[in-house]
mmCIF file of all heavy atoms in Angstrom:
data_model
loop_
_atom_site.group_PDB
_atom_site.id
_atom_site.type_symbol
_atom_site.label_atom_id
_atom_site.label_comp_id
_atom_site.label_asym_id
_atom_site.label_seq_id
_atom_site.Cartn_x
_atom_site.Cartn_y
_atom_site.Cartn_z
ATOM 1 N N CYS A 9 -3.492 8.416 5.072
ATOM 2 C CA CYS A 9 -2.576 8.960 6.081
ATOM 3 C C CYS A 9 -3.309 9.601 7.255
ATOM 4 O O CYS A 9 -2.927 9.416 8.407
ATOM 5 C CB CYS A 9 -1.630 9.969 5.439
ATOM 6 S SG CYS A 9 -0.592 9.252 4.155
ATOM 7 N N ARG A 10 -4.358 10.349 6.973
ATOM 8 C CA ARG A 10 -5.050 11.083 8.033
ATOM 9 C C ARG A 10 -6.417 10.504 8.392
ATOM 10 O O ARG A 10 -6.928 10.742 9.489
ATOM 11 C CB ARG A 10 -5.229 12.551 7.626
ATOM 12 C CG ARG A 10 -3.918 13.311 7.505
ATOM 13 C CD ARG A 10 -4.159 14.754 7.121
ATOM 14 N NE ARG A 10 -2.910 15.478 6.963
ATOM 15 C CZ ARG A 10 -2.266 16.086 7.963
ATOM 16 N NH1 ARG A 10 -2.777 16.054 9.182
ATOM 17 N NH2 ARG A 10 -1.133 16.724 7.740
ATOM 18 N N GLN A 11 -7.004 9.747 7.461
ATOM 19 C CA GLN A 11 -8.399 9.339 7.672
ATOM 20 C C GLN A 11 -8.619 7.842 7.879
ATOM 21 O O GLN A 11 -9.727 7.422 8.210
ATOM 22 C CB GLN A 11 -9.238 9.807 6.477
ATOM 23 C CG GLN A 11 -9.277 11.320 6.336
ATOM 24 C CD GLN A 11 -9.965 11.751 5.058
ATOM 25 O OE1 GLN A 11 -10.921 11.108 4.605
ATOM 26 N NE2 GLN A 11 -9.480 12.817 4.437
ATOM 27 N N ALA A 12 -7.586 7.025 7.680
ATOM 28 C CA ALA A 12 -7.768 5.584 7.882
ATOM 29 C C ALA A 12 -8.131 5.302 9.333
ATOM 30 O O ALA A 12 -7.683 5.994 10.255
ATOM 31 C CB ALA A 12 -6.495 4.830 7.500
ATOM 32 N N LEU A 13 -8.955 4.298 9.534
ATOM 33 C CA LEU A 13 -9.318 3.882 10.887
ATOM 34 C C LEU A 13 -8.092 3.327 11.600
ATOM 35 O O LEU A 13 -7.231 2.690 10.988
ATOM 36 C CB LEU A 13 -10.413 2.816 10.819
ATOM 37 C CG LEU A 13 -11.722 3.234 10.149
ATOM 38 C CD1 LEU A 13 -12.633 2.029 9.978
ATOM 39 C CD2 LEU A 13 -12.410 4.328 10.944
ATOM 40 N N ARG A 14 -8.007 3.560 12.893
ATOM 41 C CA ARG A 14 -6.891 2.996 13.671
ATOM 42 C C ARG A 14 -7.360 2.741 15.088
ATOM 43 O O ARG A 14 -8.170 3.492 15.632
ATOM 44 C CB ARG A 14 -5.655 3.908 13.612
ATOM 45 C CG ARG A 14 -5.865 5.319 14.045
ATOM 46 C CD ARG A 14 -4.757 6.243 13.525
ATOM 47 N NE ARG A 14 -3.434 5.830 13.921
ATOM 48 C CZ ARG A 14 -2.295 6.329 13.398
ATOM 49 N NH1 ARG A 14 -2.345 7.229 12.442
ATOM 50 N NH2 ARG A 14 -1.122 5.933 13.797
ATOM 51 N N THR A 15 -6.839 1.675 15.682
ATOM 52 C CA THR A 15 -7.290 1.299 17.025
ATOM 53 C C THR A 15 -6.669 2.185 18.095
ATOM 54 O O THR A 15 -7.184 2.282 19.204
ATOM 55 C CB THR A 15 -6.954 -0.173 17.328
ATOM 56 O OG1 THR A 15 -5.560 -0.388 17.087
ATOM 57 C CG2 THR A 15 -7.767 -1.104 16.452
ATOM 58 N N ALA A 16 -5.533 2.816 17.770
ATOM 59 C CA ALA A 16 -4.869 3.673 18.754
ATOM 60 C C ALA A 16 -4.187 4.828 18.042
ATOM 61 O O ALA A 16 -3.718 4.684 16.907
ATOM 62 C CB ALA A 16 -3.844 2.862 19.545
ATOM 63 N N ALA A 17 -4.137 5.969 18.714
ATOM 64 C CA ALA A 17 -3.438 7.117 18.152
ATOM 65 C C ALA A 17 -1.944 6.807 18.049
ATOM 66 O O ALA A 17 -1.400 6.029 18.835
ATOM 67 C CB ALA A 17 -3.671 8.347 19.022
ATOM 68 N N GLY A 18 -1.287 7.429 17.069
ATOM 69 C CA GLY A 18 0.137 7.174 16.894
ATOM 70 C C GLY A 18 0.688 8.039 15.791
ATOM 71 O O GLY A 18 0.008 8.957 15.309
ATOM 72 N N PRO A 19 1.908 7.771 15.373
ATOM 73 C CA PRO A 19 2.533 8.594 14.332
ATOM 74 C C PRO A 19 1.791 8.497 13.006
ATOM 75 O O PRO A 19 1.191 7.473 12.687
ATOM 76 C CB PRO A 19 3.948 8.019 14.221
ATOM 77 C CG PRO A 19 3.862 6.644 14.808
ATOM 78 C CD PRO A 19 2.792 6.695 15.847
ATOM 79 N N GLU A 20 1.847 9.590 12.249
ATOM 80 C CA GLU A 20 1.180 9.619 10.952
ATOM 81 C C GLU A 20 1.920 8.738 9.956
ATOM 82 O O GLU A 20 3.142 8.589 10.010
ATOM 83 C CB GLU A 20 1.116 11.062 10.437
ATOM 84 C CG GLU A 20 0.277 11.212 9.178
ATOM 85 C CD GLU A 20 0.089 12.672 8.785
ATOM 86 O OE1 GLU A 20 -0.219 13.493 9.668
ATOM 87 O OE2 GLU A 20 0.242 12.979 7.590
ATOM 88 N N VAL A 21 1.177 8.158 9.043
ATOM 89 C CA VAL A 21 1.753 7.323 7.994
ATOM 90 C C VAL A 21 2.560 8.195 7.032
ATOM 91 O O VAL A 21 2.100 9.260 6.596
ATOM 92 C CB VAL A 21 0.636 6.585 7.224
ATOM 93 C CG1 VAL A 21 1.211 5.860 6.004
ATOM 94 C CG2 VAL A 21 -0.092 5.613 8.133
ATOM 95 N N ASP A 22 3.766 7.777 6.727
ATOM 96 C CA ASP A 22 4.591 8.404 5.688
ATOM 97 C C ASP A 22 4.125 7.824 4.362
ATOM 98 O O ASP A 22 4.422 6.670 4.039
ATOM 99 C CB ASP A 22 6.066 8.079 5.958
ATOM 100 C CG ASP A 22 7.008 8.658 4.912
ATOM 101 O OD1 ASP A 22 6.604 8.819 3.739
ATOM 102 O OD2 ASP A 22 8.174 8.923 5.256
ATOM 103 N N PHE A 23 3.380 8.620 3.593
ATOM 104 C CA PHE A 23 2.726 8.082 2.396
ATOM 105 C C PHE A 23 3.735 7.565 1.377
ATOM 106 O O PHE A 23 3.555 6.480 0.804
ATOM 107 C CB PHE A 23 1.820 9.130 1.750
ATOM 108 C CG PHE A 23 1.066 8.595 0.557
ATOM 109 C CD1 PHE A 23 -0.017 7.744 0.730
ATOM 110 C CD2 PHE A 23 1.456 8.915 -0.736
ATOM 111 C CE1 PHE A 23 -0.711 7.224 -0.357
ATOM 112 C CE2 PHE A 23 0.771 8.406 -1.829
ATOM 113 C CZ PHE A 23 -0.315 7.565 -1.642
ATOM 114 N N ALA A 24 4.794 8.305 1.134
ATOM 115 C CA ALA A 24 5.781 7.883 0.129
ATOM 116 C C ALA A 24 6.406 6.544 0.521
ATOM 117 O O ALA A 24 6.578 5.653 -0.318
ATOM 118 C CB ALA A 24 6.854 8.947 -0.036
ATOM 119 N N ARG A 25 6.711 6.391 1.796
ATOM 120 C CA ARG A 25 7.313 5.133 2.251
ATOM 121 C C ARG A 25 6.290 3.996 2.203
ATOM 122 O O ARG A 25 6.614 2.864 1.808
ATOM 123 C CB ARG A 25 7.852 5.298 3.666
ATOM 124 C CG ARG A 25 8.596 4.063 4.164
ATOM 125 C CD ARG A 25 9.215 4.288 5.527
ATOM 126 N NE ARG A 25 9.896 3.095 5.997
ATOM 127 C CZ ARG A 25 10.453 2.971 7.192
ATOM 128 N NH1 ARG A 25 10.447 3.990 8.033
ATOM 129 N NH2 ARG A 25 11.030 1.836 7.550
ATOM 130 N N ALA A 26 5.050 4.308 2.589
ATOM 131 C CA ALA A 26 3.999 3.288 2.531
ATOM 132 C C ALA A 26 3.804 2.801 1.099
ATOM 133 O O ALA A 26 3.633 1.602 0.855
ATOM 134 C CB ALA A 26 2.683 3.860 3.072
ATOM 135 N N GLU A 27 3.845 3.732 0.162
ATOM 136 C CA GLU A 27 3.668 3.368 -1.241
ATOM 137 C C GLU A 27 4.820 2.497 -1.729
ATOM 138 O O GLU A 27 4.606 1.508 -2.440
ATOM 139 C CB GLU A 27 3.552 4.644 -2.081
ATOM 140 C CG GLU A 27 2.755 4.477 -3.351
ATOM 141 C CD GLU A 27 2.368 5.794 -3.976
ATOM 142 O OE1 GLU A 27 3.169 6.747 -3.940
ATOM 143 O OE2 GLU A 27 1.255 5.860 -4.528
ATOM 144 N N ARG A 28 6.042 2.844 -1.322
ATOM 145 C CA ARG A 28 7.209 2.023 -1.707
ATOM 146 C C ARG A 28 7.090 0.612 -1.140
ATOM 147 O O ARG A 28 7.340 -0.381 -1.836
ATOM 148 C CB ARG A 28 8.505 2.672 -1.220
ATOM 149 C CG ARG A 28 8.945 3.882 -2.018
ATOM 150 C CD ARG A 28 10.393 4.241 -1.750
ATOM 151 N NE ARG A 28 10.678 4.497 -0.339
ATOM 152 C CZ ARG A 28 10.528 5.692 0.256
ATOM 153 N NH1 ARG A 28 10.074 6.716 -0.444
ATOM 154 N NH2 ARG A 28 10.826 5.837 1.528
ATOM 155 N N GLU A 29 6.705 0.520 0.133
ATOM 156 C CA GLU A 29 6.570 -0.807 0.749
ATOM 157 C C GLU A 29 5.486 -1.616 0.044
ATOM 158 O O GLU A 29 5.659 -2.820 -0.195
ATOM 159 C CB GLU A 29 6.249 -0.658 2.248
ATOM 160 C CG GLU A 29 7.413 -0.138 3.069
ATOM 161 C CD GLU A 29 7.098 0.008 4.542
ATOM 162 O OE1 GLU A 29 5.899 -0.003 4.917
ATOM 163 O OE2 GLU A 29 8.054 0.146 5.341
ATOM 164 N N HIS A 30 4.382 -0.961 -0.293
ATOM 165 C CA HIS A 30 3.289 -1.670 -0.961
ATOM 166 C C HIS A 30 3.689 -2.114 -2.364
ATOM 167 O O HIS A 30 3.356 -3.227 -2.791
ATOM 168 C CB HIS A 30 2.054 -0.772 -1.018
ATOM 169 C CG HIS A 30 0.816 -1.466 -1.506
ATOM 170 N ND1 HIS A 30 0.260 -2.546 -0.858
ATOM 171 C CD2 HIS A 30 0.034 -1.247 -2.596
ATOM 172 C CE1 HIS A 30 -0.818 -2.955 -1.511
ATOM 173 N NE2 HIS A 30 -0.978 -2.183 -2.574
ATOM 174 N N GLN A 31 4.426 -1.260 -3.066
ATOM 175 C CA GLN A 31 4.889 -1.628 -4.413
ATOM 176 C C GLN A 31 5.839 -2.818 -4.364
ATOM 177 O O GLN A 31 5.804 -3.683 -5.250
ATOM 178 C CB GLN A 31 5.536 -0.417 -5.079
ATOM 179 C CG GLN A 31 4.526 0.639 -5.516
ATOM 180 C CD GLN A 31 5.159 1.965 -5.904
ATOM 181 O OE1 GLN A 31 6.376 2.163 -5.754
ATOM 182 N NE2 GLN A 31 4.345 2.892 -6.398
ATOM 183 N N LEU A 32 6.667 -2.881 -3.336
ATOM 184 C CA LEU A 32 7.551 -4.040 -3.181
ATOM 185 C C LEU A 32 6.741 -5.305 -2.911
ATOM 186 O O LEU A 32 7.045 -6.381 -3.440
ATOM 187 C CB LEU A 32 8.549 -3.788 -2.048
ATOM 188 C CG LEU A 32 9.681 -2.803 -2.363
ATOM 189 C CD1 LEU A 32 10.442 -2.444 -1.093
ATOM 190 C CD2 LEU A 32 10.638 -3.388 -3.398
ATOM 191 N N TYR A 33 5.722 -5.181 -2.094
ATOM 192 C CA TYR A 33 4.818 -6.298 -1.774
ATOM 193 C C TYR A 33 4.146 -6.815 -3.046
ATOM 194 O O TYR A 33 4.165 -8.020 -3.343
ATOM 195 C CB TYR A 33 3.794 -5.772 -0.777
ATOM 196 C CG TYR A 33 2.638 -6.659 -0.373
ATOM 197 C CD1 TYR A 33 2.709 -7.446 0.766
ATOM 198 C CD2 TYR A 33 1.431 -6.659 -1.084
ATOM 199 C CE1 TYR A 33 1.625 -8.214 1.187
ATOM 200 C CE2 TYR A 33 0.349 -7.419 -0.678
ATOM 201 C CZ TYR A 33 0.453 -8.196 0.454
ATOM 202 O OH TYR A 33 -0.620 -8.953 0.856
ATOM 203 N N VAL A 34 3.584 -5.899 -3.830
ATOM 204 C CA VAL A 34 2.928 -6.284 -5.079
ATOM 205 C C VAL A 34 3.951 -6.865 -6.054
ATOM 206 O O VAL A 34 3.685 -7.843 -6.760
ATOM 207 C CB VAL A 34 2.190 -5.075 -5.700
ATOM 208 C CG1 VAL A 34 1.627 -5.426 -7.071
ATOM 209 C CG2 VAL A 34 1.072 -4.612 -4.769
ATOM 210 N N GLY A 35 5.143 -6.285 -6.058
ATOM 211 C CA GLY A 35 6.200 -6.779 -6.936
ATOM 212 C C GLY A 35 6.616 -8.202 -6.630
ATOM 213 O O GLY A 35 6.927 -8.982 -7.541
ATOM 214 N N VAL A 36 6.608 -8.571 -5.350
ATOM 215 C CA VAL A 36 6.922 -9.956 -4.974
ATOM 216 C C VAL A 36 5.856 -10.899 -5.525
ATOM 217 O O VAL A 36 6.162 -11.945 -6.108
ATOM 218 C CB VAL A 36 7.040 -10.088 -3.442
ATOM 219 C CG1 VAL A 36 7.013 -11.556 -3.022
ATOM 220 C CG2 VAL A 36 8.330 -9.444 -2.960
ATOM 221 N N LEU A 37 4.598 -10.524 -5.352
ATOM 222 C CA LEU A 37 3.513 -11.386 -5.827
ATOM 223 C C LEU A 37 3.574 -11.564 -7.345
ATOM 224 O O LEU A 37 3.429 -12.672 -7.859
ATOM 225 C CB LEU A 37 2.157 -10.795 -5.429
ATOM 226 C CG LEU A 37 1.869 -10.674 -3.924
ATOM 227 C CD1 LEU A 37 0.531 -9.988 -3.696
ATOM 228 C CD2 LEU A 37 1.887 -12.037 -3.247
ATOM 229 N N ARG A 38 3.812 -10.469 -8.050
ATOM 230 C CA ARG A 38 3.791 -10.515 -9.511
ATOM 231 C C ARG A 38 5.120 -11.019 -10.085
ATOM 232 O O ARG A 38 5.140 -11.926 -10.918
ATOM 233 C CB ARG A 38 3.477 -9.114 -10.056
ATOM 234 C CG ARG A 38 3.478 -9.042 -11.576
ATOM 235 C CD ARG A 38 3.277 -7.613 -12.046
ATOM 236 N NE ARG A 38 1.897 -7.169 -11.937
ATOM 237 C CZ ARG A 38 1.502 -6.055 -11.330
ATOM 238 N NH1 ARG A 38 2.392 -5.257 -10.744
ATOM 239 N NH2 ARG A 38 0.220 -5.715 -11.301
ATOM 240 N N GLY A 39 6.208 -10.410 -9.655
ATOM 241 C CA GLY A 39 7.505 -10.681 -10.275
ATOM 242 C C GLY A 39 8.190 -11.926 -9.750
ATOM 243 O O GLY A 39 8.598 -12.793 -10.518
ATOM 244 N N LYS A 40 8.300 -12.026 -8.431
ATOM 245 C CA LYS A 40 9.044 -13.150 -7.850
ATOM 246 C C LYS A 40 8.235 -14.442 -7.844
ATOM 247 O O LYS A 40 8.786 -15.526 -8.049
ATOM 248 C CB LYS A 40 9.477 -12.789 -6.426
ATOM 249 C CG LYS A 40 10.403 -13.805 -5.785
ATOM 250 C CD LYS A 40 11.096 -13.253 -4.553
ATOM 251 C CE LYS A 40 12.335 -12.465 -4.912
ATOM 252 N NZ LYS A 40 13.160 -12.151 -3.717
ATOM 253 N N LEU A 41 6.908 -14.327 -7.642
ATOM 254 C CA LEU A 41 6.079 -15.527 -7.512
ATOM 255 C C LEU A 41 5.243 -15.821 -8.757
ATOM 256 O O LEU A 41 4.640 -16.887 -8.853
ATOM 257 C CB LEU A 41 5.169 -15.408 -6.287
ATOM 258 C CG LEU A 41 5.921 -15.210 -4.955
ATOM 259 C CD1 LEU A 41 4.959 -15.127 -3.797
ATOM 260 C CD2 LEU A 41 6.937 -16.333 -4.735
ATOM 261 N N GLY A 42 5.184 -14.882 -9.693
ATOM 262 C CA GLY A 42 4.532 -15.146 -10.977
ATOM 263 C C GLY A 42 3.014 -15.188 -10.938
ATOM 264 O O GLY A 42 2.382 -15.765 -11.825
ATOM 265 N N LEU A 43 2.412 -14.558 -9.919
ATOM 266 C CA LEU A 43 0.949 -14.530 -9.864
ATOM 267 C C LEU A 43 0.409 -13.492 -10.853
ATOM 268 O O LEU A 43 1.081 -12.522 -11.192
ATOM 269 C CB LEU A 43 0.471 -14.161 -8.458
ATOM 270 C CG LEU A 43 0.940 -15.054 -7.303
ATOM 271 C CD1 LEU A 43 0.286 -14.604 -6.008
ATOM 272 C CD2 LEU A 43 0.638 -16.517 -7.574
ATOM 273 N N GLN A 44 -0.814 -13.722 -11.311
ATOM 274 C CA GLN A 44 -1.505 -12.708 -12.096
ATOM 275 C C GLN A 44 -2.136 -11.730 -11.105
ATOM 276 O O GLN A 44 -3.061 -12.095 -10.374
ATOM 277 C CB GLN A 44 -2.566 -13.352 -12.987
ATOM 278 C CG GLN A 44 -1.960 -14.261 -14.057
ATOM 279 C CD GLN A 44 -3.014 -14.755 -15.035
ATOM 280 O OE1 GLN A 44 -3.777 -13.982 -15.589
ATOM 281 N NE2 GLN A 44 -3.045 -16.076 -15.244
ATOM 282 N N VAL A 45 -1.607 -10.521 -11.086
ATOM 283 C CA VAL A 45 -2.036 -9.530 -10.105
ATOM 284 C C VAL A 45 -3.031 -8.567 -10.742
ATOM 285 O O VAL A 45 -2.752 -7.962 -11.777
ATOM 286 C CB VAL A 45 -0.832 -8.754 -9.537
ATOM 287 C CG1 VAL A 45 -1.307 -7.648 -8.593
ATOM 288 C CG2 VAL A 45 0.102 -9.709 -8.802
ATOM 289 N N LEU A 46 -4.188 -8.451 -10.123
ATOM 290 C CA LEU A 46 -5.225 -7.513 -10.554
ATOM 291 C C LEU A 46 -5.218 -6.356 -9.565
ATOM 292 O O LEU A 46 -5.541 -6.537 -8.381
ATOM 293 C CB LEU A 46 -6.587 -8.204 -10.566
ATOM 294 C CG LEU A 46 -6.654 -9.493 -11.411
ATOM 295 C CD1 LEU A 46 -7.926 -10.253 -11.140
ATOM 296 C CD2 LEU A 46 -6.539 -9.159 -12.884
ATOM 297 N N GLU A 47 -4.820 -5.171 -10.028
ATOM 298 C CA GLU A 47 -4.661 -4.036 -9.127
ATOM 299 C C GLU A 47 -5.793 -3.039 -9.322
ATOM 300 O O GLU A 47 -5.928 -2.438 -10.392
ATOM 301 C CB GLU A 47 -3.315 -3.348 -9.326
ATOM 302 C CG GLU A 47 -3.072 -2.260 -8.297
ATOM 303 C CD GLU A 47 -1.604 -1.856 -8.172
ATOM 304 O OE1 GLU A 47 -0.793 -2.262 -9.026
ATOM 305 O OE2 GLU A 47 -1.283 -1.139 -7.207
ATOM 306 N N LEU A 48 -6.581 -2.875 -8.274
ATOM 307 C CA LEU A 48 -7.677 -1.911 -8.307
ATOM 308 C C LEU A 48 -7.130 -0.513 -8.030
ATOM 309 O O LEU A 48 -6.167 -0.354 -7.277
ATOM 310 C CB LEU A 48 -8.717 -2.273 -7.242
ATOM 311 C CG LEU A 48 -9.378 -3.648 -7.377
ATOM 312 C CD1 LEU A 48 -10.214 -3.959 -6.144
ATOM 313 C CD2 LEU A 48 -10.240 -3.693 -8.621
ATOM 314 N N PRO A 49 -7.754 0.505 -8.608
ATOM 315 C CA PRO A 49 -7.293 1.876 -8.345
ATOM 316 C C PRO A 49 -7.667 2.331 -6.944
ATOM 317 O O PRO A 49 -8.641 1.850 -6.351
ATOM 318 C CB PRO A 49 -8.036 2.702 -9.405
ATOM 319 C CG PRO A 49 -9.271 1.908 -9.702
ATOM 320 C CD PRO A 49 -8.890 0.470 -9.550
ATOM 321 N N ALA A 50 -6.891 3.268 -6.423
ATOM 322 C CA ALA A 50 -7.212 3.855 -5.126
ATOM 323 C C ALA A 50 -8.499 4.659 -5.222
ATOM 324 O O ALA A 50 -8.856 5.166 -6.290
ATOM 325 C CB ALA A 50 -6.067 4.755 -4.675
ATOM 326 N N ASP A 51 -9.190 4.768 -4.108
ATOM 327 C CA ASP A 51 -10.392 5.592 -4.029
ATOM 328 C C ASP A 51 -10.218 6.511 -2.820
ATOM 329 O O ASP A 51 -10.207 6.051 -1.674
ATOM 330 C CB ASP A 51 -11.639 4.711 -3.875
ATOM 331 C CG ASP A 51 -12.940 5.500 -3.907
ATOM 332 O OD1 ASP A 51 -12.937 6.688 -3.514
ATOM 333 O OD2 ASP A 51 -13.967 4.929 -4.305
ATOM 334 N N GLU A 52 -10.050 7.802 -3.074
ATOM 335 C CA GLU A 52 -9.778 8.746 -1.988
ATOM 336 C C GLU A 52 -10.938 8.832 -0.984
ATOM 337 O O GLU A 52 -10.740 9.235 0.164
ATOM 338 C CB GLU A 52 -9.465 10.136 -2.548
ATOM 339 C CG GLU A 52 -8.160 10.204 -3.326
ATOM 340 C CD GLU A 52 -6.924 9.887 -2.479
ATOM 341 O OE1 GLU A 52 -6.974 10.074 -1.247
ATOM 342 O OE2 GLU A 52 -5.915 9.436 -3.057
ATOM 343 N N SER A 53 -12.134 8.456 -1.401
ATOM 344 C CA SER A 53 -13.272 8.488 -0.481
ATOM 345 C C SER A 53 -13.306 7.268 0.436
ATOM 346 O O SER A 53 -14.141 7.193 1.342
ATOM 347 C CB SER A 53 -14.587 8.597 -1.258
ATOM 348 O OG SER A 53 -14.879 7.376 -1.926
#
């Protein structure tokens, strides 16, 4: 939210919403399309 690189200044990322959108994205790959999804853990650094 605060430290990711960005090409231009702008509004801060809403983490909860970003996480929901990402979970839906992963859910499509795994659930709707049947791919074997390998999910790496987040690294705060």
Side-chain angles (χ1 to χ4, degrees):
C9 299
R10 294 181 182 273
Q11 297 173 35
L13 300 172
R14 56 199 303 168
T15 53
E20 188 173 314
V21 172
D22 179 331
F23 183 75
R25 185 176 179 185
E27 207 166 37
R28 285 196 303 273
E29 290 180 344
H30 188 61
Q31 287 168 354
L32 286 169
Y33 174 94
V34 174
V36 166
L37 297 176
R38 178 185 283 128
K40 187 165 276 191
L41 301 181
L43 303 184
Q44 294 187 51
V45 176
L46 305 168
E47 186 162 11
L48 300 171
D51 185 331
E52 293 297 335
S53 72

